[in-house]
Amino acid sequence: MSTAEETDGENTPWSEVTPEAARRLLVAAVEAFAARGYHATTTRDIAGRAGMSPAALYIHYKTKEELLHRISRIGHDRALLLLETAACSGGTAAERLAGAVRSFVRWHAERYTTARVVQYELEALGEEHRTEIVELRRKSDAVVRRIISEGVAAGEFDVPDVPGTTLAVLSLCIDVARWFNAQGSRTPDEVGALYADLVLRMVGAQK
């Protein structure tokens, strides 16, 4: 299994991408962008990793930037869904925030190759696509901010700066993709649990 196909609980990674040739190209692009960076990667690099000719790439993707946008859109949609699911799961604000952090961190650890591309190649997108992805990021921010605000209102959290704390929480979670190593001493679940505990301490959650 390639690094771009690390499982995260989904039955088939990138299953929404069809036909199979388009999926192979997308997986190859994730690997290439993660290894070399978007700007240093050529369409020939991507096609070669997919075992296809450069001309075959243009049948499915008009440009290299279109490939990056597809990767980024799928990744951000998935991350937002994880946060929204946790936010709507019921329970106290502390339980929902812990659940959101666990699932968000676990995704960034389990799919660290993909997450590196999704989170750190935003500036390579064209203006229209970048605007679209930034809006998805705002929605993710709003989900976490809402949980924290509800915790403050309920007396569960002690947070004088909700927007700043929200940014800190999301930044902490996203950074997992930068350093996580599948051969390291901690599993994605263990990192998720650790970060959930750290975030609850950050917001002054009542024991």
Side-chain angles (χ1 to χ4, degrees):
M1 179 177 289
S2 66
T3 55
E5 294 183 279
E6 300 131 348
T7 59
D8 66 343
E10 299 172 61
N11 291 331
T12 305
W14 307 111
S15 60
E16 56 271 85
V17 180
T18 57
E20 174 62 22
R23 179 177 177 274
R24 283 169 53 198
L25 286 163
L26 186 141
V27 169
V30 170
E31 295 173 341
F33 294 156
R36 305 188 61 185
Y38 174 82
H39 292 294
T41 297
T42 67
T43 53
R44 184 176 294 276
D45 293 332
I46 296 168
R49 284 175 179 265
M52 301 166 70
S53 70
L57 185 148
Y58 296 107
I59 295 174
H60 303 284
Y61 302 99
K62 295 178 182 178
T63 64
K64 183 176 72 166
E65 193 269 350
E66 183 179 324
L67 253 172
L68 178 62
H69 170 249
R70 184 83 168 114
I71 294 163
S72 190
R73 179 63 200 238
I74 292 171
H76 278 89
D77 280 341
R78 177 63 179 166
L80 178 58
L81 177 61
L82 291 172
L83 292 173
E84 289 178 332
T85 299
C88 298
S89 64
T92 65
E95 290 168 341
R96 287 181 284 120
L97 181 60
V101 169
R102 273 195 302 271
S103 59
F104 198 53
V105 166
R106 188 168 57 239
W107 186 83
H108 281 82
E110 289 176 333
R111 300 291 295 279
Y112 61 91
T113 304
T114 299
R116 287 172 190 166
V117 176
V118 168
Q119 298 294 0
Y120 296 114
E121 292 287 0
L122 177 64
E123 294 306 313
L125 290 170
E127 183 178 355
E128 181 179 353
H129 287 158
R130 186 166 60 251
T131 299
E132 176 188 323
I133 299 304
V134 167
E135 179 58 28
L136 288 174
R137 288 182 176 231
R138 288 198 185 103
K139 289 180 179 179
S140 292
D141 180 283
V143 172
V144 176
R145 186 181 301 195
R146 185 174 72 247
I147 299 172
I148 295 174
S149 295
E150 290 170 354
V152 172
E156 292 184 51
F157 301 157
D158 179 13
V159 179
D161 183 348
V162 171
T165 301
T166 300
L167 177 60
V169 169
L170 288 172
S171 298
L172 185 70
C173 296
I174 287 169
D175 194 57
V176 169
R178 183 185 58 79
W179 62 260
F180 187 80
N181 184 340
Q183 281 71 52
S185 60
R186 285 193 171 98
T187 67
D189 282 334
E190 289 170 340
V191 177
L194 171 63
Y195 274 51
D197 180 67
L198 291 173
V199 167
L200 290 181
R201 293 172 185 270
M202 183 188 298
V203 299
Q206 301 298 314
K207 297 292 185 181

